[in-house]
Amino acid sequence: IRLRKPDDFAGLALDMHLGSPATALRVDARIVELADGSELPFDGMVIATGATPRRLPNQPEFDGVVELRTLANSIALRDRIADGAARVTVIGAGFIGLEVAATARQRGCAVTVLEGAPAPLMRGLGARMGTAVASVHTRHGVDLRCGVGVAGIEGDGQRVTGVRLADGSLVASDVVVVGVGVAPHTTGTEAAWPLRRARSCRQDRSRSCRHTGTSRTTGAFQFRWSIAISLGFRCKPCSMTKAQV
C-alpha cells in the first residue's frame, strides 16, 4: 500500500538515503553513521525504525506458528485458513489478534483466542468496551478465553499441534497466530545506538514538581518513560531535560 506516489516526494526537497541502514548514532557530534561508511550530520533527530512482533519465551519454529508483520505473512496466513478447515488459535486479544480471529471465523475455521487480561483490548479501550467487543466475537462463534496463561506451543517436531495452557490443558491447533504486541525495531544495533529510558518528571497531587520542588498551577503532570535523545526535549512543568545521553 503506497501512502504517497514516488513523484510526490520530488517537491519535498528530501535527501533520501535508501538501502544503507544506520549503524551508529554519535549524539555529541550530532552525526549518524551509515552502513556504507558515510556520515550524516543533523540538528534534530527522529528515530522512526518501526516495530517487530514480540515473540513468546522459547517460541518454537514449528510450521503453522505465524506472526503478522509483512504482506508475505498475511498471504501465508490467508492460504492456511482459506478452506475453513484449520483449527486456529490466536494468542493475544489485541487489534491484530481479534482481526485475525474474525477473518478466520468468517472463513469457517474453528477459532480460539487466548488472552491473559480479563477482557480483550483492555489497554486500548478499557474493560467496559473490551467486554462489549468480547460479546461480539463470542456471538459469532469464537471461543474467547480471557484470564488464561500460555505455558508454551507444542508440536510433533515439524508442525504445530497445539497450545499448552498454564493449567495444563491443551488447545489443539493447526495454526497458531502469535499477536502479543510489538517491540522497537533496532535490527541488532542496540549496542551502537545510545538509547535508554528517559528520566521521568512527575508532579504529585500537591502539584509540586519532584525535580524543582516548586508548586505549579497547571495541574498534575506525569511523563511516562520513553526512549528519547537529548535534543532539547524538555519537561514543560519544570523545563528539565528529559534525557541525557
Side-chain angles (χ1 to χ4, degrees):
I1 300 174
R2 292 186 179 274
L3 301 180
R4 287 180 180 270
K5 296 179 181 179
D7 293 343
D8 293 339
F9 292 104
L12 299 179
L14 298 177
D15 183 11
M16 300 183 68
H17 295 257
L18 304 178
S20 184
T23 57
L25 173 63
R26 287 151 47 194
V27 177
D28 292 340
R30 295 180 181 267
I31 288 175
V32 176
E33 298 178 8
L34 303 185
D36 62 7
S38 61
E39 298 180 345
L40 297 178
F42 64 86
D43 296 312
M45 166 68 65
V46 175
I47 299 178
T49 52
T52 299
R54 293 187 184 276
R55 296 172 61 86
L56 297 175
N58 302 314
Q59 180 175 317
E61 300 294 339
F62 294 137
D63 183 31
V65 178
V66 181
E67 299 168 351
L68 278 182
R69 183 174 188 269
T70 66
L71 178 60
N73 296 151
S74 300
I75 293 174
L77 177 59
R78 181 193 64 186
D79 293 342
R80 292 179 184 276
I81 66 175
D83 61 4
R87 297 168 297 176
V88 179
T89 298
V90 180
I91 302 176
F95 288 103
I96 289 180
L98 293 182
E99 184 69 22
V100 169
T103 300
R105 191 71 194 99
Q106 288 176 343
R107 294 277 186 175
C109 297
V111 179
T112 301
V113 177
L114 307 174
E115 170 58 47
L121 300 173
M122 286 280 289
R123 183 176 298 178
L125 300 181
R128 186 173 181 181
M129 281 300 298
T131 301
V133 170
S135 66
V136 174
H137 283 269
T138 54
R139 285 201 306 269
H140 285 81
V142 174
D143 181 6
L144 177 59
R145 307 184 192 183
C146 294
V148 299
V150 173
I153 299 174
E154 299 187 0
D156 60 8
Q158 293 183 332
R159 288 193 55 81
V160 66
T161 57
V163 178
R164 183 71 62 180
L165 302 185
D167 63 5
S169 61
L170 181 70
V171 181
S173 313
D174 302 305
V175 177
V176 174
V177 181
V178 180
V180 292
V182 297
H185 182 57
T186 55
T187 62
T189 59
E190 294 91 340
W193 291 78
L195 304 179
R196 67 186 183 188
R197 287 185 176 184
R199 295 175 62 186
S200 297
C201 173
R202 301 182 181 181
Q203 285 186 318
D204 59 23
R205 293 180 180 179
S206 65
R207 298 182 181 181
S208 175
C209 177
R210 292 176 58 193
H211 299 115
T212 63
T214 58
S215 297
R216 302 291 168 176
T217 59
T218 53
F221 290 80
Q222 180 175 352
F223 288 74
R224 298 185 183 277
W225 75 265
S226 62
I227 294 176
I229 304 172
S230 179
L231 297 175
F233 301 119
R234 293 183 178 274
C235 165
K236 291 182 179 179
C238 69
S239 298
M240 172 192 161
T241 302
K242 285 182 63 181
Q244 300 294 333
V245 181

